[in-house]
Amino acid sequence: MAGVQTAVALREQGFTGPVTLLGAEPHQPYDRPPLSKAVLLGKAEDSAFDVDFQGLDIDLRLGVEVTGLRAAVHELDTERGPVPYGTLVLATGAEPLTVPGTEGVPGVHLLRTLDDAARLRPVLAASPRAVVVGAGWIGAEFATAAREAGCEVTVVEAADRVLAGALPAEVTEPMARWYQEAGAELITGAKVAGIEEGRVLLADGRALPAGAVVVGIGARPATGWLDGTGVERGSDGSITADAYLRTSLPGVYAVGDCASFPSGRYGRRLLVHHWDNALQGPRAVAANILAGEPAQVYDPVPYFWSEQFGRFVQYAGHHGGADTLLLRGDPAGPAWSACWLREGALVAVLAVGRPRDLAQGRRLIETAVPVDPAKVADPGTPLKSATA
């Protein structure tokens, strides 16, 4: 997503020089969100981007894995030989975390690529008993698809609640009930000791039968190949880009899931593994490349969405550092929102079935205007009318 959008943005903003887009996968560049939905369920064959690379004069090279970077001579190393560059944009994304010792175990799957979805689709069609490791965003989305396909589903989460690494307990507690309502078993506080063919072994001695196992325990920036290149990275593996998405090497930018950036809005460095970041960041990169100097600061209001268990969940902002959490509506119902304030201003909003809250809340976050907590907490008051 980030690589394609950078190439397209360069052309849209008037860049006339050569543009080369390298990708390790053999497929036409594709969108990832449909992989856990339409593609997985066989409702779509693929999710290729509708981009005329030839018409845009973009040299698209598929099946080319980049193995190294030699900044001193402005070259990338690939299995097909060196590729020179004038300006380089790193958009290598993220790679899924795995359960140690499961490589090569039959029936164990990840869901990150088109090939992953293609392997899983016939498995789901056979409606096996499925075990999902991880009750995060991807785990919930896969469990949703598996239930729709008629599978018996058990979701195992090491933490004591769903989405423990993403949201506070007050918000995730009602989400746990969605699993039961959908007919999926949820087991929290359960660590996986190992996975064997046909079963998942838990640390407490239980063994869960599994015709298929899907591991969804998070992802890390795909940056290991940058060891020794001089590209600075953080402890989380992300490329530490600056406010203009420049790396520590001259003429080298980084964008999307592989890069963190300093947010003046939130006063901290953010690593955003979501679709909207891979759409918005490339526009800033393209503007800065064309200007030839720092021209456009990248400081977005992060946004993402998730479709799970018949609900459309949206989130905008960043709630780390918030001092007040307010709920709009009844979390036991089909539509409600959570709003986070910091020093009287809205900094994040989670909307379940309330898209207007998301849209209006996002604008309030962008403007950073003070809001009236009583109005924010009133589900009958539009958020746009909640200013103090």
Side-chain angles (χ1 to χ4, degrees):
M1 177 70 173
V4 169
Q5 292 299 328
T6 299
V8 171
L10 282 166
R11 290 298 189 226
E12 289 179 344
Q13 294 182 31
F15 183 74
T16 57
V19 175
T20 301
L21 183 59
L22 304 176
E25 293 186 61
H27 312 290
Q28 284 288 310
Y30 57 87
D31 208 7
R32 292 191 189 279
L35 298 185
S36 60
K37 307 171 184 71
V39 175
L40 185 61
L41 291 171
K43 298 177 181 179
E45 285 302 312
D46 60 38
S47 56
F49 292 116
D50 185 18
V51 174
D52 183 1
F53 294 100
Q54 185 174 359
L56 290 172
D57 193 23
I58 295 171
D59 180 10
L60 177 62
R61 303 184 192 180
L62 302 175
V64 179
E65 183 174 359
V66 178
T67 57
L69 164 61
R70 288 176 288 120
V73 292
H74 278 221
E75 281 188 345
L76 291 168
D77 291 322
T78 81
E79 54 194 4
R80 299 186 187 178
V83 176
Y85 68 85
T87 299
L88 176 64
V89 180
L90 303 175
T92 50
E95 54 195 5
L97 298 173
T98 60
V99 175
T102 60
E103 186 175 352
V105 176
V108 179
H109 300 268
L110 300 170
L111 184 52
R112 182 77 183 182
T113 68
L114 184 60
D115 287 339
D116 291 338
R119 283 188 289 265
L120 262 170
R121 187 160 58 187
V123 173
L124 280 193
S127 299
R129 182 187 295 270
V131 173
V132 182
V133 181
W137 300 112
I138 190 64
E141 290 186 1
F142 176 79
T144 298
R147 286 299 299 142
E148 187 173 337
C151 302
E152 292 184 47
V153 177
T154 300
V155 180
V156 179
E157 170 56 50
D160 61 357
R161 55 190 177 83
V162 304
L163 292 166
L167 296 168
E170 301 97 314
V171 176
T172 62
E173 190 276 330
M175 294 178 169
R177 295 194 293 268
W178 300 353
Y179 289 77
Q180 182 178 10
E181 292 171 6
E185 181 183 11
L186 174 64
I187 304 175
T188 56
K191 294 184 178 180
V192 173
I195 301 176
E196 301 174 350
E197 184 175 4
R199 62 179 188 165
V200 174
L201 307 176
L202 303 184
D204 61 9
R206 282 181 288 178
L208 307 177
V213 180
V214 174
V215 178
I217 55 176
R220 60 170 175 248
T223 59
W225 66 280
L226 290 169
D227 289 347
T229 63
V231 175
E232 291 183 3
R233 288 172 290 164
S235 59
D236 56 10
S238 67
I239 300 167
T240 51
D242 69 6
Y244 304 96
L245 297 180
R246 300 175 300 180
T247 74
S248 55
L249 295 181
V252 180
Y253 295 79
V255 67
D257 289 7
C258 69
S260 63
F261 56 89
S263 171
R265 186 189 309 276
Y266 291 105
R268 64 187 63 196
R269 181 167 286 276
L270 299 181
L271 175 60
V272 181
H273 280 189
H274 293 297
W275 185 92
D276 193 64
N277 180 50
L279 173 68
Q280 305 296 341
R283 297 170 182 170
V285 167
N288 290 324
I289 290 174
L290 266 71
E293 61 184 24
Q296 183 173 322
V297 169
Y298 185 60
D299 193 7
V301 173
Y303 166 76
F304 73 88
W305 78 97
S306 176
E307 294 177 276
Q308 50 185 271
F309 307 118
R311 294 167 173 85
F312 188 48
V313 183
Q314 296 173 282
Y315 178 95
H318 178 73
H319 63 271
D323 52 44
T324 304
L325 170 60
L326 300 171
L327 296 179
R328 287 169 58 84
D330 183 4
W336 53 279
S337 297
C339 297
W340 288 266
L341 311 183
R342 186 182 66 212
E343 298 178 355
L346 189 68
V347 293
V349 58
L350 174 89
V352 178
R354 290 180 66 98
R356 289 184 180 178
D357 278 3
L358 190 288
Q360 295 175 16
R362 192 175 186 179
R363 285 193 287 271
L364 288 177
I365 295 169
E366 290 170 346
T367 57
V369 297
V371 295
D372 182 336
K375 292 179 180 178
V376 171
D378 179 8
T381 299
L383 274 180
K384 65 181 181 181
S385 303
T387 52

